[in-house]
Amino acid sequence: MDVTIAGLAVPMRDVTLSIAGAGGGNGTATINGAATADLGASATVNLRGVVQTTPGKAGNLVLVASLGGTRLATSAGFSVSSIPQNWSVTLKAAVTGTERGIDVNNDWKSDSGNVADLDQAMRSEQVQYGAGTGCFAGVTGNNSGYRAANSPPLVDHHAAPIGLLTGVGTIDAEQTFIFKDDRTGAVDIPARNSGYRLSRVVTAPTAGTLSITTTKTGTTTTANGFASDAGAGGATSGPQAV
């Protein structure tokens, strides 16, 4: 974060930054890797969480600027919490039987580097369908709702029933992810790098036959008002005979 020091007079002692409120479930953090930092001028400092905030204790940490033991200023309250980000997709299997499409492994990371730190977070997909053509005209879908964020990967099922695939047609769906976090109380926050586009295309390769190709690709997109940069990876299946 950026720290601005105004009204300097030379010579003057350095301004000391520290974090008040640490412990007791409020969490702990360091400033440039240490408990305190001394600044002689405006600078950018690196706040890094160490111990996460306990649910119900949000906003009790503050950054304090002091000069010679006199408190000059304090920041707004903050918390320490890990968040899900950086989605990736790989093909698990083509869907057969009464449906056609793909199952994909839907994976993500924690900004802390350890997904176990996401034990107080949940993630939810947002899916927005475009205008379908042909057999997909008027088709819409549902969002899966919130699920635990500390147990990736989850299987994402993208399949259409054979009974729907009665002729040629196309449809695209935009997918992003959001999260909520019990440590901070934050809800419905767009997840970084979680954008995908799901495309379904039904063609008639020969008279009297139909086939479908299903493709999921990372893309920068928006779904239901939640925007995200592209997730990694992708998957495709097809053409599958209907």
Side-chain angles (χ1 to χ4, degrees):
M1 67 178 295
D2 294 330
V3 177
T4 300
I5 299 176
L8 290 172
V10 180
M12 190 178 83
R13 296 174 62 182
D14 287 347
V15 172
T16 298
L17 300 181
S18 61
I19 296 173
N26 297 333
T28 63
T30 59
I31 309 168
N32 294 342
T36 63
D38 293 332
L39 301 182
S42 300
T44 299
V45 298
N46 179 30
L47 294 183
R48 184 173 181 84
V50 178
V51 176
Q52 296 194 88
T53 300
T54 300
K57 296 280 191 175
N60 291 327
L61 299 176
V62 293
L63 185 66
V64 177
S66 302
L67 179 64
T70 300
R71 182 174 291 196
L72 301 178
T74 60
S75 71
F78 65 94
S79 309
V80 178
S81 183
S82 300
I83 61 171
Q85 62 179 15
N86 298 340
W87 260 245
S88 62
V89 159
T90 57
L91 178 66
K92 180 176 177 64
V95 177
T96 58
T98 60
E99 297 179 310
R100 296 290 185 269
I102 53 176
D103 283 337
V104 300
N105 296 309
N106 187 295
D107 204 353
W108 59 92
K109 304 299 182 184
S110 169
D111 68 341
S112 71
N114 184 357
V115 293
D117 292 337
L118 301 174
D119 60 317
Q120 296 297 322
M122 301 188 78
R123 38 72 80 200
S124 175
E125 68 173 355
Q126 292 293 314
V127 179
Q128 182 174 342
Y129 279 79
T133 66
C135 65
F136 292 114
V139 169
T140 59
N142 298 312
N143 296 321
S144 64
Y146 273 109
R147 297 180 180 180
N150 64 336
S151 56
L154 295 178
V155 176
D156 220 347
H157 183 71
H158 302 295
I162 289 177
L164 176 67
L165 308 176
T166 57
V168 299
T170 65
I171 194 167
D172 288 342
E174 309 302 310
Q175 182 187 49
T176 61
F177 287 82
I178 60 176
F179 68 89
K180 63 179 181 179
D181 172 41
D182 288 345
R183 296 186 189 280
T184 62
V187 297
D188 296 348
I189 306 300
R192 299 174 188 146
N193 306 323
S194 68
Y196 290 90
R197 178 170 296 131
L198 180 72
S199 298
R200 296 182 173 100
V201 180
V202 176
T203 60
T206 60
T209 67
L210 294 171
S211 65
I212 182 171
T213 299
T214 307
T215 304
K216 186 169 188 176
T217 307
T219 187
T220 298
T221 190
T222 300
N224 301 327
F226 295 99
S228 184
D229 289 336
T236 188
S237 178
Q240 293 177 286
V242 175

